[in-house]
Amino acid sequence: MRDFMQLIGIDITEEGFPASQVSANATPSIEVLELMQLVRSVPEVHVRKVFRSLPMQELPRFSGAVMENAAAKALLANFAEENEALRQAFFPDDAQLFDTADQDGPEPALAQSAFTDKQRAIVGALLRAAAKRAAQP
């Protein structure tokens, strides 16, 4: 049966289950996010339409963390009361809403952009020029 499923294009693990899929909602790489910030700075461009038009499956995915453990803990502390209310209302059998054990371990590798300030300036200028040109008849 496994061979048949693979023959028709469905990947099945040795245990007979479908192979796990890449998240359809995976976060784009830090470079893509940074470029989208530059697109957002161009008034003539509708950033949401551009973002939705991107071929996400072809773009690099985000890797690393966005903040150090202490910053993550401080951020979550701002929402402690709301998170506890959600836990009580919807997950009363769970001890906590989010597992934060990873914030007690070693510091995560922070995502770092590969762009320099000079490259950001060049791309920003190119985006503004392209938008200006596209708006002309």
Side-chain angles (χ1 to χ4, degrees), residues 57-76:
Q57 65 280 6
E58 298 172 21
L59 297 175
R61 298 297 184 173
F62 188 88
S63 64
V66 294
M67 63 185 76
E68 294 171 341
N69 290 339
K73 285 180 182 182
L75 180 64
L76 284 175

Side-chain angles (χ1 to χ4, degrees), residues 26-96:
T27 304
S29 72
I30 194 144
E31 289 83 7
V32 172
L33 295 174
E34 223 179 333
L35 288 172
M36 288 308 301
Q37 288 295 320
L38 290 173
V39 169
R40 183 178 181 204
S41 71
V42 180
E44 299 85 0
V45 177
H46 192 285
V47 70
R48 186 170 287 142
K49 288 180 181 179
V50 171
F51 189 75
R52 288 182 180 160
S53 298
L54 288 173
M56 289 299 180
Q57 65 280 6
E58 298 172 21
L59 297 175
R61 298 297 184 173
F62 188 88
S63 64
V66 294
M67 63 185 76
E68 294 171 341
N69 290 339
K73 285 180 182 182
L75 180 64
L76 284 175
N78 292 329
F79 302 98
E81 289 181 22
E82 293 88 347
N83 287 344
E84 178 56 19
L86 283 171
R87 186 201 63 77
Q88 288 178 10
F90 298 102
F91 308 99
D93 297 334
D94 293 349
Q96 61 188 38

